């Protein structure tokens, strides 16, 4: 059903847990099972650990608007104790969830019987010490904080800061900085809303905190530019510290140039030295010390350049593809159509197209590289660009922070592929 469509995928910091959010406002968390003694050659699988309803549909009576329950983003907090915490957001409201385990319960109350009924005080003649008895494992998800009413426009990003105390949230025109303990106020750090909305020329498409420097963040725009800001420079980061933009090649200018240059995702490398941006046809890697052009550009599906007209007519040209780094920053991944996803090895510059399908997800199945043919004769293993299915698209992917395990969301199916990728 439409509510099952996966809208975000995110590993936690250790990779032990994997969270998905969907259009129906649900969060499903998968846990990595330890490999069994009798089958040591098999890496452990991911099994459902907890499922909970994070957001419900709402109605804004002042604006007569329905607010979708769809989960736009999930971000894990670094683990501090036995419990896990994550932030999830829909278009308007961010929630902090605590996920904790219970495998014991107290027995032997003084004021009530075992069945829970209150006892008559006169019948209490002795004091009992309650004991903890084992019980079946229960995983509980409880909302600890609700951060609401701070965004006029739809929230597209949340990002936890490296100080582990603050996080930022971004909508089309503003970025707010929150303290994780304070729900009733946030600090507006970027505001690009023009005095006259008719002069609006660009919107914020994504924002992320630097992985190590808690004063630095970046945000991308629909004009294909990225701004890096330093919160130490000024309270309101209206003046960026760095401005990344690749000058357009005038020879390839077309009616669609502006639409396809819009950046749909920006991600810092784990090292913090690079950032990666995804636009409609390509992924670019930028060195933070070089603003005038990317150091690497990877074509995701260049064969679609001749199809932009029909992709505009069926609205696919506005699809927002995400991208991610592997744990060592040596490879990157992003999605495409026909349930294809692309991986680029930054060292060898080799790239591969893989397909997420029922066939490829059978146990011990290996992923076969896919090729798209653009013209003339088609080799037997190739698929013609004209027979690609544009309804099957991989927008959301995640890479395990340490191992070669990837999670790929294909509409309402989650595929997890392990190792053997190299």
């Amino acid at each position: 059903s439409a509510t099952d469509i996966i809208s975000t995928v995110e590993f936690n910091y250790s990779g032990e847990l994997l969270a998905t959010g969907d259009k129906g406002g649900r969060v499903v968390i998968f846990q990595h099972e330890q490999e069994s003694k009798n089958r040591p050659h098999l890496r452990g699988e991911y099994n459902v650990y907890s499922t909970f309803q994070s957001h419900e549909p709402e109605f804004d009576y002042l604006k007569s608007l329905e607010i979708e329950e769809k989960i736009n983003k999930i971000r894990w907090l670094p683990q501090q104790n036995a419990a896990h915490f994550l932030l999830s957001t829909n278009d308007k409201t961010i929630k902090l969830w605590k996920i904790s385990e219970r495998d014991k319960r107290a027995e032997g109350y003084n004021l009530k019987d075992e069945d829970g009924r209150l006892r008559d005080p006169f019948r209490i003649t002795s004091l009992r010490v309650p004991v903890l008895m084992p019980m079946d494992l229960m995983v509980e998800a409880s909302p600890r904080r609700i951060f609401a009413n701070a965004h006029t426009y739809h929230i597209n990003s949340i990002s936890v800061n490296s100080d582990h105390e603050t996080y930022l949230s971004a909508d089309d025109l503003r970025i707010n900085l929150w303290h994780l303990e304070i729900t009733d106020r946030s600090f507006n750090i970027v505001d690009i809303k023009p005095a006259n909305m008719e002069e609006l020329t660009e919107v914020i498409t994504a924002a992320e905190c630097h992985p190590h420097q808690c004063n630095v963040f970046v945000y991308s725009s629909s004009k294909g530019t990225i701004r890096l800001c330093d919160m130490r420079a000024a309270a309101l980061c209206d003046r960026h510290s760095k401005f990344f933009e690749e000058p357009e090649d005038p020879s390839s200018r077309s009616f669609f140039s502006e639409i396809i240059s819009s950046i749909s995702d920006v991600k810092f490398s784990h090292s913090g030295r690079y950032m990666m941006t995804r636009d409609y046809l390509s992924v670019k890697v930028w060195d933070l010390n070089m603003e005038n052009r990317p150091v690497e550009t990877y074509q995701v599906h260049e064969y679609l350049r001749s199809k932009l007209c029909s992709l505009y007519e069926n609205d696919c040209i506005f699809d927002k593809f995400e991208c991610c780094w592997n744990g060592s920053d040596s490879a990157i991944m992003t999605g495409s159509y026909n349930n294809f996803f692309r991986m680029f090895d930054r060292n060898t510059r080799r790239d591969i197209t893989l397909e997420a399908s029922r066939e490829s997800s059978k146990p011990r199945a290996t992923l076969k590289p896919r090729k798209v043919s653009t013209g003339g004769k088609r080799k037997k293993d190739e698929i013609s660009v004209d027979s690609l299915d544009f309804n099957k698209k991989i927008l959301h992917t995640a890479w395990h922070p340490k191992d070669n395990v990837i999670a790929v969301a294909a509409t309402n199916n989650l595929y997890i592929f392990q190792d053997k990728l190299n």
Side-chain angles (χ1 to χ4, degrees), residues 317-363:
I317 201 167
F318 302 108
D319 283 335
K320 292 177 170 49
F321 290 96
E322 295 168 8
C323 51
C324 61
W325 300 86
N326 72 343
S328 61
D329 298 335
S330 64
I332 57 185
M333 168 169 61
T334 192
S336 178
Y337 294 103
N338 208 63
N339 278 359
F340 289 170
F341 58 98
R342 303 270 284 136
M343 297 174 129
F344 303 96
D345 185 313
R346 296 181 57 214
N347 300 324
T348 63
R349 293 298 168 103
R350 283 214 305 247
D351 66 284
I352 189 168
T353 304
L354 299 169
E355 181 183 2
S357 68
R358 290 277 156 90
E359 285 66 59
S360 63
S361 65
K362 294 204 174 87

Side-chain angles (χ1 to χ4, degrees), residues 156-189:
N156 57 45
S157 309
I158 46 177
S159 179
V160 180
N161 208 342
S162 60
D163 60 13
H164 302 170
E165 282 185 1
T166 57
Y167 74 92
L168 58 80
S169 60
D171 67 26
D172 296 335
L173 299 179
R174 297 196 180 101
I175 301 176
N176 293 332
L177 183 70
W178 301 83
H179 196 287
L180 280 160
E181 301 290 330
I182 302 167
T183 57
D184 58 354
R185 64 180 184 273
S186 61
F187 193 76
N188 180 229
I189 51 173

Side-chain angles (χ1 to χ4, degrees), residues 145-279:
R145 308 258 185 287
I146 294 179
F147 307 88
N149 306 324
H151 284 277
T152 314
Y153 309 98
H154 293 344
I155 298 172
N156 57 45
S157 309
I158 46 177
S159 179
V160 180
N161 208 342
S162 60
D163 60 13
H164 302 170
E165 282 185 1
T166 57
Y167 74 92
L168 58 80
S169 60
D171 67 26
D172 296 335
L173 299 179
R174 297 196 180 101
I175 301 176
N176 293 332
L177 183 70
W178 301 83
H179 196 287
L180 280 160
E181 301 290 330
I182 302 167
T183 57
D184 58 354
R185 64 180 184 273
S186 61
F187 193 76
N188 180 229
I189 51 173
V190 171
D191 186 347
I192 65 164
K193 184 180 179 184
N196 176 4
M197 280 295 264
E198 279 161 24
E199 291 165 12
L200 183 68
T201 58
E202 66 178 327
V203 293
I204 297 167
T205 55
E208 192 180 50
C209 298
H210 189 280
H212 314 303
Q213 298 165 340
C214 61
N215 49 292
V216 172
F217 67 95
V218 290
Y219 67 92
S220 57
S221 94
S222 55
K223 278 194 158 173
T225 63
I226 310 103
R227 290 171 177 84
L228 182 135
C229 305
D230 188 337
M231 290 185 256
R232 290 179 305 193
L236 191 62
C237 301
D238 279 353
R239 290 200 301 276
H240 47 266
S241 317
K242 294 190 175 186
F243 182 76
F244 299 84
E245 181 178 28
E246 184 168 32
E248 195 193 17
D249 174 9
S251 65
S252 66
R253 174 126 193 98
S254 79
F255 172 73
F256 302 108
S257 296
E258 231 161 81
I259 301 174
I260 63 171
S261 67
S262 175
I263 293 172
S264 51
D265 197 16
V266 58
K267 292 269 171 58
F268 279 109
S269 63
H270 295 81
S271 69
R273 178 176 169 183
Y274 300 98
M275 64 179 174
M276 159 169 57
T277 58
R278 171 75 210 255
D279 55 48

